[in-house]
């Protein structure tokens, strides 16, 4: 599904990713851990196409396409979804309207019929129920005045509606209370399927108690320095990242 | 452009010969004599600094392009009374309802005429006093509650300046919504609104011009105690649009709230100037501007509040935000406070920037094209100025 091959990338003027390689197959869940500033968000941003994040070397193949060659909206329509570490507030734009516009833009790109508002509403109501979300958030402007946890939940809800093929969750668990963590993990688990993959960036192994990863990687100084199974996350929790400098 | 003042004078002389009542003659003569001591509008003037006054004397070609769409969702209600002002005077869409008295502006009596203070800064508006030959006097009756009317400016001749003067009076307790809508014509407009105690006015100035059309307007609001005025301006397009709103609080505990959406493209030049005079205690003004300039267009938006000595407990808010959509577009935006009283609550701010890149990316990352993302962001920006 996703093949990142020896990528070097800059964020602004600063070289952040330095020879990163990673392969994600359909249905797999990869967790990425690593110290602050290592380049984890930069990786997610690079995949989603954030401005000022640029690959200088290497390649990224997504379902047979050169991902880095696509516009952000094309990547989304191809099935890439990034749950932001810091979701943006957009005053004056209603959450529902935003989501329907997004969904229909993606459908149009894929040559599918647009969803009318009645269909959309029905679908969204079902998702709200499935994902145990509060529906009042949908009537409000996108992320405006949402608490930290509400913003993260809204990201997961958007993921549920857009049904991406590859979801990248950037610290979606940070700032969540225990119940919210459960809701968010349930949301992810419900979406897990043999043709959908996840990259989960997190600092805490507790999330991985809820979402069982196939692989755990350590990203440090712009590349993946260690890979393992869920056990690696437990070791990291005990040892921290001091060993990286030895 | 040596001709502008001369032109006004010549036309005014002809008009005076044909005029009407003696008092109106003398009003015109006074304006005329004042004009002769003044210069044409130019960039040295505060109110014309960023307006392209040269365009006022250029002849303009008939418009072929479409009129910009109204960004407001609330369209005119069907049953509203429409007053159409044109070369033929005014016409009503239905019989005059009993909550309104309407007559031609030239037919008012001398004591109804409102003296306006014009200076070099407002020389173009002064020309209107010498030259107006259309417009209406509206006397809303106190029985008016939740009534609605629309004034449409619709002149056939594209090139000839039309001078329109309206006088609108709301008695105590009246409650109306008045929309002024531009349709066609080269318009120099004066509106004087009198809002009596506890009356409520909602007014929408909907001026969307094609690329060659021109409008200059001067709007004076006289607001009595406990009255409320909510004023929404939509200014889009035009070779030149120059609007000045002057608000006088003449009593206490009244409120003036205005929201402006200014949008320019191509080579448009829009000035939107709001001046609020807190002459007495305890009044509240709240002025919001949202301006968006594209291509090589220019917008000048200004909010000025003056608080007279002793006008304590005045509350003033000025919130001016601007977005530039191209490198060649220009916006000049100035909130101004001139305070001579001690106890005043005032907040003001102005920003100029581009659309927020992070927000655009957020929308794009969900599948929305960059063009649509920009539109959504612009719409959300405009929403902040919607006051009614
Ligand atoms: N636009 C930018 N310009 C310059 N430096 C940047 C830019 N974006 C990120 N950086 C820097 O790149 C480095 C990696 O940032 P990144 O956000 O990828 O780290 P991270 O691994 O996600 O860290 P955290 O765990 O704290 O979220 C940091 O030092 C950061 O300051
Ligand atoms: Mg990060």
């Amino acid at each position: 599904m996703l093949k990142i091959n020896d990528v070097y990338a800059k964020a602004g003027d600063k070289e952040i990713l330095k020879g990163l390689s990673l392969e994600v197959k359909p249905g797999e869940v990869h967790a990425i851990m690593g110290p602050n500033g290592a380049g984890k968000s930069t990786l997610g941003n690079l995949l989603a196409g954030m401005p000022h994040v640029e690959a200088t070397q290497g390649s990224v193949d997504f379902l047979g396409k050169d991902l880095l060659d696509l516009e952000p909206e094309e990547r989304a329509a191809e099935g890439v979804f990034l749950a932001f570490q810091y979701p943006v507030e957009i005053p004056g734009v209603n959450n529902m309207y935003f989501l329907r516009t997004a969904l229909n833009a993606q459908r149009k790109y894929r040559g599918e019929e647009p969803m009318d508002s009645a269909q959309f509403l029905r679908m969204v109501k079902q998702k709200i129920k499935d994902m145990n979300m509060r529906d009042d958030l949908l009537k409000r402007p996108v992320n405006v005045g949402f608490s930290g946890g509400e913003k993260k939940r809204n990201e997961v809800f958007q993921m549920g509606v857009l049904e991406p093929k590859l979801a990248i969750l950037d610290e979606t668990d940070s700032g969540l209370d225990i119940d919210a963590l459960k809701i968010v993990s349930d949301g992810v688990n419900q979406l897990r399927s043999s043709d959908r993959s996840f990259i989960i960036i997190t600092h805490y192994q507790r999330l991985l108690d809820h979402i069982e990863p196939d692989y755990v990687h350590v990203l440090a100084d712009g590349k993946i320095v260690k890979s393992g199974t869920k056990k690696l996350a437990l070791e990291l929790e005990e040892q921290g990242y001091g060993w990286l400098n030895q | 452009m040596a001709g502008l003042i001369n032109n006004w004078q010549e036309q005014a002389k002809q008009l005076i010969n044909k005029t009407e009542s003696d008092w109106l003659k003398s009003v015109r003569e006074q304006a005329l004599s004042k004009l002769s001591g003044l210069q044409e509008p130019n960039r040295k003037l505060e109110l014309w600094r960023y307006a392209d006054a040269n365009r006022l004397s250029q002849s303009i070609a008939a418009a072929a392009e479409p009129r910009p769409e109204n960004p407001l969702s609330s369209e005119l209600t069907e049953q509203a009374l429409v007053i159409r002002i044109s070369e033929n005077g005014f016409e009503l869409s239905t019989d005059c309802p009993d909550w309104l008295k309407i007559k031609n502006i030239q037919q008012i009596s001398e004591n109804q005429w409102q003296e306006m203070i014009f200076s070099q800064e407002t020389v173009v508006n002064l020309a209107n006093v010498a030259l107006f030959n259309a417009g209406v006097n509206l006397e809303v009756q106190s029985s008016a509650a939740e009534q609605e009317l629309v004034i449409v400016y619709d002149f056939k001749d594209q090139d000839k300046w039309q001078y329109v003067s309206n006088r609108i009076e709301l008695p105590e307790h009246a409650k109306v919504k008045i929309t002024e809508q531009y349709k066609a014509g080269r318009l120099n407009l004066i509106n004087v609104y009198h809002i009596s105690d506890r009356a409520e006015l909602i007014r929408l100035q909907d001026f969307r011009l094609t690329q060659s059309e021109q409008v200059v307007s001067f709007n004076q609001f006289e607001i009595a105690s406990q009255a409320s005025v909510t004023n929404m301006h939509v200014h889009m397009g035009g070779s030149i649009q120059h609007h000045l709103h002057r608000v006088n609080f003449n009593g206490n505990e009244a409120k003036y709230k205005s929201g402006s959406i200014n949008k320019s493209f191509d080579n448009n030049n829009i000035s939107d100037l709001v001046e609020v005079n807190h002459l007495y205690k305890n009044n509240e003004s709240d002025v919001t501007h949202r301006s968006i300039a594209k291509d090589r267009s220019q917008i000048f938006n200004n909010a000025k509040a003056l608080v007279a000595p002793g006008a304590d407990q005045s509350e003033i808010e000025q919130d001016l935000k601007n977005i530039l959509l191209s490198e060649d577009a220009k916006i000049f935006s100035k909130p101004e406070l001139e305070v001579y009283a001690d106890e005043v609550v005032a907040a003001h701010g102005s920003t100029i920037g581009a659309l927020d890149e992070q927000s655009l990316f957020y929308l794009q990352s969900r599948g929305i094209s960059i063009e649509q993302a920009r539109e959504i962001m612009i719409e959300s920006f405009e929403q902040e100025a919607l006051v009614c």
Side-chain angles (χ1 to χ4, degrees):
Chain A
M1 164 161 306
L2 178 74
K3 204 164 181 186
I4 304 172
N5 189 16
D6 199 24
V7 155
Y8 288 71
K10 289 193 300 189
D13 295 330
K14 203 171 151 200
E15 175 125 286
I16 309 293
L17 300 183
K18 302 166 186 169
L20 186 143
S21 297
L22 178 69
E23 184 169 358
V24 179
K25 299 212 174 76
E28 288 180 351
V29 175
H30 291 242
I32 295 186
M33 304 181 79
N36 292 132
K40 301 180 299 296
S41 292
T42 304
L43 172 62
N45 294 340
L46 177 76
L47 295 176
M50 181 182 277
H52 309 301
V53 178
E54 249 176 274
T56 50
Q57 262 189 68
S59 64
V60 179
D61 180 283
F62 179 66
L63 297 168
K65 291 202 167 119
D66 177 359
L67 189 70
L68 300 179
D69 205 33
L70 301 176
E71 294 298 324
E73 61 269 30
E74 295 172 327
R75 301 180 194 195
E78 293 287 348
V80 175
F81 179 91
L82 171 66
F84 284 60
Q85 183 174 2
Y86 304 109
V88 184
E89 297 191 6
I90 310 185
V93 179
N94 170 283
N95 226 338
M96 283 285 263
Y97 167 78
F98 158 63
L99 256 182
R100 186 156 83 92
T101 307
L103 182 68
N104 280 338
Q106 292 198 15
R107 291 175 73 100
K108 188 173 171 194
Y109 175 92
R110 297 191 291 255
E112 298 161 14
E113 286 294 305
M115 243 189 215
D116 66 33
S117 46
Q119 280 173 305
F120 180 75
L121 199 68
R122 233 174 296 133
M123 186 268 279
V124 159
K125 282 207 168 128
Q126 190 57 46
K127 295 274 177 193
I128 288 172
K129 239 164 91 197
D130 293 349
M131 308 187 84
N132 230 323
M133 297 275 186
R134 272 178 33 213
D135 58 355
D136 55 327
L137 295 183
L138 290 172
K139 295 176 194 129
R140 305 212 332 231
V142 182
N143 293 326
V144 177
F146 287 24
S147 74
E150 286 170 341
K151 284 182 184 166
K152 297 298 177 78
R153 280 202 236 180
N154 194 29
E155 295 290 287
V156 174
F157 178 70
Q158 289 175 25
M159 176 179 79
V161 169
L162 297 172
E163 302 186 324
K165 297 190 178 112
L166 171 69
I168 305 150
L169 277 64
D170 191 355
E171 294 198 25
T172 304
D173 55 328
S174 298
L176 292 184
D177 64 37
I178 295 157
D179 294 339
L181 186 68
K182 179 98 181 33
I183 290 172
V184 164
S185 331
D186 286 352
V188 171
N189 286 329
Q190 281 177 33
L191 282 177
R192 277 184 85 158
S193 72
S194 59
D195 56 359
R196 186 172 288 136
S197 312
F198 293 85
I199 294 175
I200 294 178
I201 298 169
T202 181
H203 284 296
Y204 308 105
Q205 85 84 31
R206 61 168 193 177
L207 176 68
L208 307 179
D209 287 341
H210 297 278
I211 306 170
E212 192 87 8
D214 299 299
Y215 300 94
V216 174
H217 309 277
V218 179
L219 200 165
D221 194 22
K223 50 187 171 290
I224 289 180
V225 294
K226 197 166 181 174
S227 297
T229 59
K230 200 190 150 192
K231 236 178 79 197
L232 176 57
L234 285 164
E235 287 166 23
L236 290 172
E237 187 105 333
E238 272 168 29
Q239 297 167 8
Y241 295 108
W243 54 271
L244 282 171
N245 300 321
Q246 281 158 25
Chain B
M1 79 167 249
L4 206 48
I5 290 208
N6 283 343
N7 268 340
W8 288 335
Q9 287 173 322
E10 258 165 55
Q11 286 181 51
K13 278 176 198 152
Q14 287 173 21
L15 194 61
I16 287 168
N17 287 333
K18 284 189 271 176
T19 295
E20 316 121 349
S21 51
D22 285 345
W23 72 266
L24 188 50
K25 232 179 221 161
S26 96
V27 163
R28 292 196 198 284
E29 270 159 1
Q30 275 171 34
L32 187 60
S33 92
K34 192 154 191 192
L35 268 179
S36 62
L38 298 177
Q39 295 171 4
E40 328 227 305
N42 59 64
R43 293 205 187 268
K44 289 192 201 100
L45 302 174
E46 196 71 27
L47 300 183
W48 287 87
R49 180 156 296 160
Y50 305 106
D52 191 353
N54 287 320
R55 296 184 185 182
L56 297 176
S57 52
Q58 289 161 3
S59 97
I60 50 182
E65 351 61 67
R67 198 164 295 290
E69 299 271 332
N70 191 339
L72 301 174
S73 48
S74 74
E75 277 298 314
L76 297 178
T77 36
E78 298 268 320
Q79 57 279 42
L81 169 69
V82 179
I83 303 168
R84 179 177 303 270
I85 298 178
S86 70
E87 276 100 341
N88 309 323
F90 73 88
E91 283 162 62
L92 300 185
S93 60
T94 56
D95 291 341
C96 192
D98 48 12
W99 54 269
L100 185 69
K101 273 193 189 146
I102 176 165
K103 62 184 170 214
N104 202 308
I105 187 73
Q106 285 107 317
Q107 275 146 20
I108 64 172
S109 62
E110 183 169 8
N111 59 20
Q112 283 182 298
W113 177 255
Q114 155 98 26
E115 187 84 48
M116 284 159 285
I117 301 165
F118 291 128
S119 63
Q120 176 64 62
E121 290 287 343
T122 42
V123 59
V124 186
N125 312 113
L126 175 64
N128 180 298
V129 179
L131 287 164
F132 73 91
N133 61 357
V136 288
N137 180 71
L138 302 181
E139 285 175 71
V140 175
Q141 305 298 296
S142 46
S143 57
E146 317 271 349
Q147 300 294 350
E148 187 172 352
L149 72 87
V150 183
I151 302 173
V152 175
Y153 305 104
D154 189 3
F155 291 87
K156 289 249 143 35
D157 193 329
Q158 287 288 305
D159 199 46
K160 182 168 175 269
W161 278 99
Q162 312 286 343
Y163 299 87
V164 176
S165 185
N166 296 320
R167 189 181 172 283
I168 296 154
E169 204 177 306
L170 264 68
E172 291 188 20
H173 299 289
K175 202 172 169 185
V176 285
K177 175 176 181 185
I178 299 182
T179 299
E180 289 181 48
Q181 193 175 58
Y182 175 87
K183 246 320 189 354
R186 201 174 189 182
L187 186 64
N188 180 321
L189 173 66
I190 288 186
N191 285 304
V192 180
Y193 279 89
H194 286 267
I195 323 295
S196 306
D197 290 1
R198 286 179 291 275
E200 273 177 54
L201 171 69
I202 294 174
R203 185 258 197 163
L204 168 63
Q205 188 187 38
D206 179 12
F207 276 45
R208 289 168 287 129
L209 277 60
T210 62
Q211 298 304 78
S212 56
E213 290 173 331
Q214 302 189 337
V215 168
V216 174
S217 88
F218 174 85
N219 308 274
Q220 184 153 320
F221 290 80
E222 303 289 349
I223 305 180
S225 290
Q226 294 175 38
S228 130
V229 175
T230 305
N231 207 343
M232 180 78 223
H233 314 161
V234 178
H235 304 137
M236 294 168 74
S239 148
I240 187 166
Q241 293 206 46
H242 188 281
H243 303 280
L244 173 58
H245 283 76
R246 181 175 286 167
V247 179
N248 295 323
F249 283 117
N250 302 319
N252 314 107
E253 293 171 50
K255 188 168 180 186
Y256 181 82
K257 185 179 174 74
S258 87
S260 281
I261 298 174
N262 297 305
K263 282 175 97 169
S264 63
F265 333 84
D266 281 1
N267 198 12
N268 300 152
N269 183 292
I270 300 177
S271 301
D272 181 13
L273 315 169
V274 178
E275 189 185 298
V276 184
N277 297 308
H278 286 257
L279 305 171
Y280 294 90
K281 279 188 188 181
N282 244 318
N283 292 293
E284 199 182 326
S285 68
D286 179 350
V287 175
T288 303
H289 290 244
R290 293 290 179 268
S291 299
I292 304 152
K294 207 175 164 182
D295 306 322
R296 58 204 171 97
S297 63
Q298 304 201 353
I299 296 177
F300 172 27
N301 67 83
N302 206 350
K304 183 173 178 174
L306 176 129
V307 184
D312 293 323
Q313 278 86 46
S314 293
E315 281 183 37
I316 297 154
E317 199 169 328
Q318 299 169 339
D319 169 17
L320 281 51
K321 289 191 185 143
N322 305 284
I323 287 182
L324 290 168
L325 293 179
S326 86
E327 283 186 7
D328 295 328
K330 288 202 176 72
I331 297 185
F332 308 91
S333 179
K334 199 163 84 171
E336 262 183 288
L337 287 171
E338 216 177 300
V339 180
Y340 301 103
D342 297 328
E343 290 170 50
V344 169
V345 182
H348 69 165
S350 161
T351 60
I352 300 186
L355 288 175
D356 179 50
E357 214 175 39
Q358 286 296 318
S359 309
L360 286 173
F361 172 61
Y362 190 74
L363 296 172
Q364 274 183 288
S365 78
R366 300 302 183 243
I368 297 171
S369 71
I370 183 73
E371 295 79 22
Q372 201 178 0
R374 283 202 192 101
E375 275 170 33
I376 291 175
M377 292 294 296
I378 289 171
E379 232 170 83
S380 107
F381 178 73
E382 288 168 359
Q383 299 269 329
E384 298 174 0
L386 284 187
V387 290
C388 62

